[in-house]
Amino acid sequence: VQLVESGGGLVKTGGSLRLSCAASKFSGDDYSVAWFRRAPGKEREGVGCAYIGPDGWTRAQHVNDLLRGRFLALHDESTRDDPETTVRLLMTNLKVEDTAVYYCATGRGNRCSRFLRADDYDSWGLGTQVTVSS
């Protein structure tokens, strides 16, 4: 399983960014793709996720309650027939405290909820840096 994150960068407070995760699929299986982040000096935190059926259609999408209204995890269903699927993280009204390395992860089955656990995910990308300046 390969995952590649993209779209990170430097943005000012109040700005927006769109991150993308290109993830190879679990052929014939349902699976979940999630976003986590780790800020300097803090523990890894679940951000949002998508649960995708074996047919490639989205079964569920969730976001951390603390980020609801600003962040949205969105599965791109136009990629359902492609070898890789794409799950995006849409981030708006960014704050300095959103500065972190954002990671994409995937695992078989429905591991997607508002209460993401890193231990539920087996494969991880290398991360993309998001820096929000004041």
Side-chain angles (χ1 to χ4, degrees), residues 21-108:
C21 171
S24 54
K25 298 175 181 176
F26 294 93
S27 180
D29 289 339
D30 57 336
Y31 60 99
S32 300
V33 179
W35 285 96
F36 291 82
R37 68 183 184 182
R38 175 169 279 167
K42 294 188 177 181
E43 294 186 357
R44 187 166 40 189
E45 176 185 32
V47 177
C49 57
Y51 169 47
I52 302 161
D55 56 4
W57 293 103
T58 308
R59 294 289 190 264
Q61 293 171 152
H62 293 287
V63 67
N64 185 318
D65 285 346
L66 297 177
L67 302 173
R68 189 178 303 278
R70 296 195 301 121
F71 286 28
L72 177 66
L74 187 65
H75 173 225
D76 183 352
E77 292 181 334
S78 71
T79 62
R80 66 185 183 277
D81 294 327
D82 296 341
E84 294 181 335
T85 195
T86 297
V87 175
R88 293 188 172 85
L89 184 65
L90 309 179
M91 306 185 294
T92 61
N93 191 20
L94 283 162
K95 304 177 181 181
V96 171
E97 51 264 41
D98 294 319
T99 294
V101 178
Y102 285 71
Y103 298 91
C104 179
T106 190
R108 293 181 187 272

